Amino acid sequence: MEGFLCFVGVTALVSFVVWQLIETRKAVATTTTETAYDPAQTAQIVRTAFGGPRAVLWTTASGPGTINMRRRGIHGGITMSITIAPRPGGGSRVAMWASETVIFFGFLVNFAGSVNGRKKAIGRLLEAAQ
């Protein structure tokens, strides 16, 4: 019985680490989406993804994007950068990525899941607004 519990514990730990690695890779990777809105309207829609109750968790930061938001947290949070560029045929292209991270144990990024959640929310907001 003790061997089985040890196996379950090790399996759970390995599964957690693999899950965190996947979340980290998704957060750091650039996600792009296109919308029919002009860049000013797109920026306004993107900013709503950080409003409401989430405004307590996210703060404006400096960074390479048009919009840069830092997730508040212990030991500093992750910075999400969003670049909004006009498309030649009209509309906008939105690129989102984690531009600044806090790394633990050499591979785990602090709040990577929060960035992935905001990426999905921004995509849904831009899609719903059309």
Side-chain angles (χ1 to χ4, degrees):
M1 184 66 169
E2 293 149 3
F4 177 73
L5 291 177
C6 182
F7 173 76
V8 169
V10 169
T11 302
L13 179 65
V14 169
S15 298
F16 175 76
V17 169
V18 169
W19 174 60
Q20 286 301 307
L21 284 170
I22 292 168
E23 287 290 311
T24 297
R25 295 190 101 174
K26 282 198 263 181
V28 174
T30 301
T31 303
T32 59
T33 187
E34 295 182 348
T35 181
Y37 291 108
D38 64 71
Q41 290 173 314
T42 302
Q44 186 177 15
I45 293 167
V46 167
R47 283 191 179 92
T48 62
F50 298 98
R54 283 177 204 82
V56 173
L57 302 174
W58 291 90
T59 184
T60 305
S62 61
T66 308
I67 299 170
N68 300 286
M69 301 297 289
R70 185 179 61 81
R71 175 71 159 75
R72 297 174 198 241
I74 299 171
H75 306 295
I78 190 168
T79 299
M80 181 176 178
S81 293
I82 302 144
T83 300
I84 301 168
R87 288 187 341 200
S92 302
R93 175 171 291 148
V94 180
M96 305 169 275
W97 73 98
S99 60
E100 187 176 322
T101 60
V102 177
I103 298 175
F104 295 106
F105 307 116
F107 61 92
L108 295 177
V109 173
N110 193 15
F111 296 115
S114 296
V115 169
N116 295 331
R118 290 301 85 211
K119 284 181 177 182
K120 288 178 188 173
I122 290 168
R124 284 192 307 264
L125 285 170
L126 291 172
E127 191 176 286
Q130 291 186 29

